Amino acid sequence: MAKKTVATLQSSSKRLTKAIKMVKSPKTGAYTFVESVMPPEMVNDWLNSK
């Protein structure tokens, strides 16, 4: 399950996106949030991966 929260970060030469994914732990059933900063083209692939 992914919570699609995307914020755009711009630096001097590169355009980056910060994506936050909500991941359910198989052991405890609790949800945790995983954050990553990446190019905008990779966001959908990262959110769809487990």
Side-chain angles (χ1 to χ4, degrees):
M1 178 175 237
K3 179 179 180 182
K4 192 171 184 178
T5 303
V6 178
T8 304
L9 308 172
Q10 292 187 8
S11 62
S12 60
S13 63
K14 295 182 181 179
R15 189 168 156 243
L16 299 174
T17 301
K18 180 180 180 181
I20 302 170
K21 181 170 37 172
M22 190 168 70
V23 180
K24 186 174 184 178
S25 171
K27 186 175 180 180
T28 63
Y31 286 96
T32 59
F33 293 95
V34 179
E35 298 181 11
S36 181
V37 177
M38 65 195 78
E41 299 82 28
M42 297 176 60
V43 171
N44 285 332
D45 294 334
W46 184 76
L47 288 173
N48 292 330
S49 68
K50 290 240 174 182

